Amino acid sequence: MREILLPSGEAVPVLGIGTWGMGEDPGSAARETAAIQMALDLGMSVVDTAEMYGNGAAEELVGRALAGRRNEAFLVTKVLPHHATLRGTVAACEGSLRRLGTDSIDLYLLHWRGTVPLAETLEAFESLQRAGKIRHWGVSNLDVADMEELLRLPGGQKVATDQVVYNLTRRGIEFDLLPGCTGRGIPVMAYSPLEQGRMLDDPVLVRIATEHGVSPAQIALAWVLRQPLVLAIPKTSSPQHVRECHHALDVRLTPRDLADLDRAHPPPTRKRALEVI
Ligand SMILES: NC(=O)c1ccc[n+]([C@@H]2O[C@H](COP(=O)([O-])OP(=O)(O)OC[C@H]3O[C@@H](n4cnc5c(N)ncnc54)[C@H](OP(=O)(O)O)[C@@H]3O)[C@@H](O)[C@H]2O)c1
């Protein structure tokens, strides 16, 4: 598994698994658990969840899936913006730890920016780090101006990632946020790398996939992962799809493939506000 370095110097795999929507239907729990465990088996050890997903149900499912295998995962979860005060963040983190059945989160993210000052949330993250309850902290859905504000705060340079939407049909971050982060050594975590499945019948994607003898999802992931310092967290509840996503790491897109994809989905030529899903 290819790895990238967090600003702390710790290596994490470029491919993990998302869990939005998991844990909400008891009838799907066994399959979802198997998908997360398959991801661990294949080294896709970044497991992304959030207190928001299913009001904690996704975290509970992740906790059950990781039982006995906690040390194989790089566990990411998120605090809701309206919880992200000094005391609220600590309380939210305690709730996540309980649902996840662990005593430490590898990476704790502010899910998006709300009205709580970034400095206050950062202070809460630092106190959670000192208490050993989180190992790294980061943010999600922050555009350039918010990132710059964060980076100016004392300790702000320790931000481990900005998790944002990035896929072939949503390339806005290539204009400024992506080079701004990666140029400072801050990895970008690409969410919805498959556009929640909506892009998988894109004709150019389908043609290139056919030429490579792989699936459109594999081309879509290979395209996201062509960037240095970008990691992707596709969500799938299917162990078979987990295997398929894993094989995206073997796909080598040619300059012609990339040019064809650029023609179909041009890179941004001006600033666009960060999209949020
Ligand atoms: N920070 C944020 O604000 C934020 C926002 C959105 C998402 N996220 C995180 O990012 C994760 C991924 O994003 P997402 O869930 O929005 O969407 P996504 O990963 O782009 O797409 C998920 C969809 O793709 C399908 N899929 C997965 N692998 C496939 C394959 N190999 N072939 C065909 N279809 C496949 C899944 O269906 P099956 O389950 O049937 O395979 C599911 O319907 C989330 O789960 C969450 O952890 C974060």
Side-chain angles (χ1 to χ4, degrees):
M1 173 70 70
R2 185 158 68 81
E3 293 181 322
I4 56 174
L5 293 184
L6 299 178
S8 66
E10 182 167 332
V12 288
V14 293
L15 194 55
I17 185 166
T19 65
W20 191 11
M22 290 192 192
E24 296 179 31
D25 168 19
S28 305
R31 197 159 162 267
E32 291 164 351
T33 303
I36 294 170
Q37 292 174 342
M38 173 69 72
L40 293 185
D41 291 344
L42 296 172
M44 294 162 57
S45 57
V46 177
V47 180
D48 180 80
T49 190
E51 61 166 338
M52 185 187 90
Y53 301 162
N55 274 327
E59 287 184 328
E60 284 173 357
L61 183 114
V62 168
R64 287 194 296 275
L66 299 187
R69 302 185 66 175
R70 171 67 188 89
N71 60 356
E72 293 174 55
F74 185 89
L75 185 52
V76 185
T77 192
K78 313 182 193 83
V79 56
L80 281 163
H82 61 271
H83 289 164
T85 57
L86 192 49
R87 289 173 58 179
T89 305
V90 173
C93 183
E94 300 284 2
S96 289
L97 289 169
R98 193 180 61 251
R99 288 185 292 273
L100 289 162
T102 186
D103 50 16
S104 176
I105 291 160
D106 294 298
L107 176 58
Y108 199 37
L109 306 180
L110 173 63
H111 206 147
W112 66 90
R113 187 172 185 174
T115 53
V116 179
L118 290 174
E120 184 172 341
T121 307
L122 198 159
E123 199 183 329
F125 285 157
E126 287 175 338
S127 84
L128 286 168
Q129 260 180 331
R130 281 193 301 276
K133 293 183 177 171
I134 67 171
R135 296 203 308 113
H136 307 278
W137 63 267
V139 292
S140 177
N141 297 304
L142 257 58
D143 206 346
V144 173
D146 289 332
M147 280 304 278
E148 283 172 356
E149 184 182 327
L150 177 66
L151 287 163
R152 280 195 299 270
L153 295 173
Q157 305 75 14
K158 296 226 171 95
V159 59
T161 193
D162 190 9
Q163 183 183 111
V164 293
V165 62
Y166 183 51
N167 64 52
L168 191 54
T169 69
R170 298 186 197 258
R171 301 184 62 170
I173 65 167
E174 287 176 31
F175 187 75
D176 50 1
L177 184 65
L178 181 61
C181 285
T182 58
R184 290 180 169 100
I186 303 166
V188 165
M189 197 179 284
Y191 76 66
S192 306
L194 304 173
E195 184 58 16
Q196 301 185 327
R198 289 184 291 271
M199 65 191 276
L200 299 180
D201 59 356
D202 178 279
V204 181
L205 206 58
V206 170
R207 175 177 59 72
I208 294 173
T210 307
E211 286 168 8
H212 282 261
V214 301
S215 72
Q218 287 169 311
I219 297 294
L221 285 175
W223 182 87
V224 168
L225 295 175
R226 80 200 186 288
Q227 299 270 9
L229 268 189
V230 171
L231 64 97
I233 45 166
K235 174 265 165 187
T236 174
S237 305
S238 148
Q240 180 51 36
H241 280 172
V242 174
R243 279 189 186 284
E244 201 181 305
C245 291
H246 181 253
H247 282 302
L249 293 163
D250 302 326
V251 175
R252 294 285 164 268
L253 295 173
T254 66
R256 208 197 87 187
D257 296 335
L258 293 172
D260 289 350
L261 291 167
D262 277 349
R263 253 190 306 280
H265 300 281
T269 53
R270 62 181 170 78
K271 168 71 187 164
R272 290 183 200 156
L274 179 63
E275 293 180 85
V276 174
I277 287 190

